[in-house]
Amino acid sequence: MVQVHSSAPGKIILLGEHFVVYKNPAILAAINRRITVHLKPNGTHFTRIKAGLMELVVSASKRQLSKRRTHSNSFLYPVLSCIANIQYQMNDFSGLDVIIESQIPHGEGLGSSAASCVATVGAMRALYGEIDKPSICKNAAEAERIIHKNSSGADCYVSTFGGLIYYHPTRAYTHMNPKIKFRFLVCTTGIRHDTGKLVSRVKKFREEKLPIFAELAERARVICNDAKKAMDRGDQETLGKMMTENHELLMRLDVSHPKLEEFIDICMGNGALGGKLTGAGGGGSMIALIPNKKTDEIVSNIRKKIPHSVLVELDHDGLQVNQTLAPDNKF
Ligand code: PMV
């Protein structure tokens, strides 16, 4: 029996979150933290999805889950939807065993939901013998929109293709290739956020204070484009300043959190060149740009105060899929 193993990276947003929903540019990077999906037909009519302690067993012909929002269905529902939509297209309702392993905390702004959708669609497409990254990306973004209907889709793109990308207001993408390596420290607050609610909060802000929002968005656009140029020429200082200013704009949108502010102060007080929330905010994670000189010393000083902070590497592979023959009935 064939089994498929598929994995996709998480991401950080360097510049432009929230504003990206309103046709602003953004810069995102895939990181070396992945979600892996192992999937195989189980010979029954039930699909069983396991992710850590979360488990879901549904009839393979069922396409709808309860709409009640819980932690487990906000993670597993898009995954189930990826599976059900592809099986529906293929007119195949055989049960599957699906195991999801994650190195990315869920609901902390690091793209766990996009990575799980990309890896699941990749695995399903491989099961039916076709791997086409652009269409995998499109299907994954559609599934992500179940949980957060205004999703820009940028997370799914960077998770599918990997690397460092500039997301254009026209919804096109450019792969960036900066002169030097930039180092980002990721600090998670452990406070899980709800992207949909935070995006709605910004929507309300925009409806109620359109002139202020327009001013902030214009500044965010300029900052993002200046940051891109700074990265292209390998200018760490300017990138750091742009990131910090981007965070100030996000604070004005009221999507920061006291814990994020505390972590940003710690990083900046210990030599980081810039710091900002990454993703939707309201808890979640922050990133700090660490200079290429004295990197170890700065990281070690920050870690004395934020022990779980991680210096991430960029991922250049994006989605990776392979198939094996199952030796027995177990993964
Ligand atoms: O926190 P995350 O990983 O769900 O990122 C959300 C990013 C937003 O810009 C707030 C929304 C989007 O769809 O781009």
Side-chain angles (χ1 to χ4, degrees), residues 22-34:
Y22 301 96
K23 298 210 161 87
N24 252 40
I27 300 177
L28 296 92
I31 56 170
N32 61 339
R33 293 289 182 278
R34 291 188 158 253

PDB file of all heavy atoms in Angstrom, residues 22-34:
ATOM      1  N   TYR A  22      -5.313  44.801   2.482  1.00  0.00           N
ATOM      2  CA  TYR A  22      -5.883  45.941   1.736  1.00  0.00           C
ATOM      3  C   TYR A  22      -4.960  46.392   0.605  1.00  0.00           C
ATOM      4  O   TYR A  22      -4.660  47.568   0.441  1.00  0.00           O
ATOM      5  CB  TYR A  22      -6.200  47.085   2.725  1.00  0.00           C
ATOM      6  CG  TYR A  22      -7.172  46.613   3.764  1.00  0.00           C
ATOM      7  CD1 TYR A  22      -6.721  46.154   5.007  1.00  0.00           C
ATOM      8  CD2 TYR A  22      -8.528  46.510   3.475  1.00  0.00           C
ATOM      9  CE1 TYR A  22      -7.605  45.649   5.948  1.00  0.00           C
ATOM     10  CE2 TYR A  22      -9.427  45.999   4.408  1.00  0.00           C
ATOM     11  CZ  TYR A  22      -8.958  45.576   5.633  1.00  0.00           C
ATOM     12  OH  TYR A  22      -9.841  45.056   6.554  1.00  0.00           O
ATOM     13  N   LYS A  23      -4.453  45.412  -0.124  1.00  0.00           N
ATOM     14  CA  LYS A  23      -3.672  45.670  -1.341  1.00  0.00           C
ATOM     15  C   LYS A  23      -2.386  46.430  -1.082  1.00  0.00           C
ATOM     16  O   LYS A  23      -1.966  47.275  -1.878  1.00  0.00           O
ATOM     17  CB  LYS A  23      -4.528  46.384  -2.391  1.00  0.00           C
ATOM     18  CG  LYS A  23      -5.723  45.561  -2.843  1.00  0.00           C
ATOM     19  CD  LYS A  23      -6.080  45.882  -4.280  1.00  0.00           C
ATOM     20  CE  LYS A  23      -6.915  44.818  -4.913  1.00  0.00           C
ATOM     21  NZ  LYS A  23      -8.307  44.884  -4.755  1.00  0.00           N
ATOM     22  N   ASN A  24      -1.756  46.174   0.037  1.00  0.00           N
ATOM     23  CA  ASN A  24      -0.429  46.722   0.322  1.00  0.00           C
ATOM     24  C   ASN A  24       0.604  45.618   0.088  1.00  0.00           C
ATOM     25  O   ASN A  24       0.259  44.434   0.145  1.00  0.00           O
ATOM     26  CB  ASN A  24      -0.353  47.142   1.793  1.00  0.00           C
ATOM     27  CG  ASN A  24      -0.338  48.645   1.972  1.00  0.00           C
ATOM     28  OD1 ASN A  24      -1.039  49.351   1.278  1.00  0.00           O
ATOM     29  ND2 ASN A  24       0.463  49.123   2.911  1.00  0.00           N
ATOM     30  N   PRO A  25       1.867  45.975  -0.125  1.00  0.00           N
ATOM     31  CA  PRO A  25       2.880  44.919  -0.272  1.00  0.00           C
ATOM     32  C   PRO A  25       3.263  44.302   1.079  1.00  0.00           C
ATOM     33  O   PRO A  25       2.946  44.863   2.133  1.00  0.00           O
ATOM     34  CB  PRO A  25       4.077  45.684  -0.863  1.00  0.00           C
ATOM     35  CG  PRO A  25       3.917  47.075  -0.366  1.00  0.00           C
ATOM     36  CD  PRO A  25       2.435  47.325  -0.254  1.00  0.00           C
ATOM     37  N   ALA A  26       3.949  43.171   1.030  1.00  0.00           N
ATOM     38  CA  ALA A  26       4.462  42.529   2.254  1.00  0.00           C
ATOM     39  C   ALA A  26       5.719  41.748   1.890  1.00  0.00           C
ATOM     40  O   ALA A  26       5.931  41.414   0.717  1.00  0.00           O
ATOM     41  CB  ALA A  26       3.410  41.588   2.835  1.00  0.00           C
ATOM     42  N   ILE A  27       6.552  41.497   2.903  1.00  0.00           N
ATOM     43  CA  ILE A  27       7.727  40.628   2.699  1.00  0.00           C
ATOM     44  C   ILE A  27       7.615  39.472   3.683  1.00  0.00           C
ATOM     45  O   ILE A  27       7.408  39.690   4.888  1.00  0.00           O
ATOM     46  CB  ILE A  27       9.049  41.398   2.907  1.00  0.00           C
ATOM     47  CG1 ILE A  27       9.139  42.561   1.907  1.00  0.00           C
ATOM     48  CG2 ILE A  27      10.259  40.463   2.763  1.00  0.00           C
ATOM     49  CD1 ILE A  27      10.376  43.444   2.070  1.00  0.00           C
ATOM     50  N   LEU A  28       7.719  38.270   3.156  1.00  0.00           N
ATOM     51  CA  LEU A  28       7.591  37.060   3.986  1.00  0.00           C
ATOM     52  C   LEU A  28       8.772  36.129   3.736  1.00  0.00           C
ATOM     53  O   LEU A  28       9.348  36.143   2.638  1.00  0.00           O
ATOM     54  CB  LEU A  28       6.328  36.270   3.622  1.00  0.00           C
ATOM     55  CG  LEU A  28       4.969  36.910   3.846  1.00  0.00           C
ATOM     56  CD1 LEU A  28       4.508  37.632   2.599  1.00  0.00           C
ATOM     57  CD2 LEU A  28       3.956  35.846   4.223  1.00  0.00           C
ATOM     58  N   ALA A  29       9.081  35.306   4.730  1.00  0.00           N
ATOM     59  CA  ALA A  29      10.144  34.316   4.549  1.00  0.00           C
ATOM     60  C   ALA A  29       9.693  32.970   5.092  1.00  0.00           C
ATOM     61  O   ALA A  29       9.092  32.893   6.171  1.00  0.00           O
ATOM     62  CB  ALA A  29      11.403  34.758   5.287  1.00  0.00           C
ATOM     63  N   ALA A  30       9.988  31.906   4.333  1.00  0.00           N
ATOM     64  CA  ALA A  30       9.745  30.549   4.848  1.00  0.00           C
ATOM     65  C   ALA A  30      10.875  30.235   5.828  1.00  0.00           C
ATOM     66  O   ALA A  30      12.025  30.641   5.614  1.00  0.00           O
ATOM     67  CB  ALA A  30       9.752  29.552   3.698  1.00  0.00           C
ATOM     68  N   ILE A  31      10.549  29.547   6.918  1.00  0.00           N
ATOM     69  CA  ILE A  31      11.565  29.250   7.944  1.00  0.00           C
ATOM     70  C   ILE A  31      11.749  27.737   8.123  1.00  0.00           C
ATOM     71  O   ILE A  31      10.894  26.951   7.716  1.00  0.00           O
ATOM     72  CB  ILE A  31      11.214  29.913   9.302  1.00  0.00           C
ATOM     73  CG1 ILE A  31       9.804  29.481   9.778  1.00  0.00           C
ATOM     74  CG2 ILE A  31      11.301  31.430   9.198  1.00  0.00           C
ATOM     75  CD1 ILE A  31       9.489  29.890  11.206  1.00  0.00           C
ATOM     76  N   ASN A  32      12.874  27.400   8.754  1.00  0.00           N
ATOM     77  CA  ASN A  32      13.215  25.976   8.882  1.00  0.00           C
ATOM     78  C   ASN A  32      12.469  25.298  10.043  1.00  0.00           C
ATOM     79  O   ASN A  32      13.069  24.638  10.886  1.00  0.00           O
ATOM     80  CB  ASN A  32      14.728  25.805   9.041  1.00  0.00           C
ATOM     81  CG  ASN A  32      15.255  26.494  10.282  1.00  0.00           C
ATOM     82  OD1 ASN A  32      14.615  27.402  10.816  1.00  0.00           O
ATOM     83  ND2 ASN A  32      16.420  26.088  10.755  1.00  0.00           N
ATOM     84  N   ARG A  33      11.181  25.508  10.094  1.00  0.00           N
ATOM     85  CA  ARG A  33      10.288  24.801  11.016  1.00  0.00           C
ATOM     86  C   ARG A  33       9.143  24.284  10.153  1.00  0.00           C
ATOM     87  O   ARG A  33       8.529  25.062   9.425  1.00  0.00           O
ATOM     88  CB  ARG A  33       9.733  25.735  12.106  1.00  0.00           C
ATOM     89  CG  ARG A  33      10.794  26.225  13.077  1.00  0.00           C
ATOM     90  CD  ARG A  33      11.247  25.083  13.994  1.00  0.00           C
ATOM     91  NE  ARG A  33      12.234  25.515  14.962  1.00  0.00           N
ATOM     92  CZ  ARG A  33      13.545  25.642  14.733  1.00  0.00           C
ATOM     93  NH1 ARG A  33      14.031  25.406  13.533  1.00  0.00           N
ATOM     94  NH2 ARG A  33      14.366  26.007  15.683  1.00  0.00           N
ATOM     95  N   ARG A  34       8.858  22.968  10.226  1.00  0.00           N
ATOM     96  CA  ARG A  34       7.950  22.361   9.255  1.00  0.00           C
ATOM     97  C   ARG A  34       6.768  21.649   9.892  1.00  0.00           C
ATOM     98  O   ARG A  34       6.829  21.239  11.049  1.00  0.00           O
ATOM     99  CB  ARG A  34       8.718  21.309   8.424  1.00  0.00           C
ATOM    100  CG  ARG A  34       9.706  21.945   7.524  1.00  0.00           C
ATOM    101  CD  ARG A  34      10.347  20.950   6.560  1.00  0.00           C
ATOM    102  NE  ARG A  34      10.821  21.752   5.475  1.00  0.00           N
ATOM    103  CZ  ARG A  34      10.292  21.813   4.268  1.00  0.00           C
ATOM    104  NH1 ARG A  34       9.318  21.014   3.934  1.00  0.00           N
ATOM    105  NH2 ARG A  34      10.765  22.629   3.369  1.00  0.00           N
TER     106      ARG A  34
END
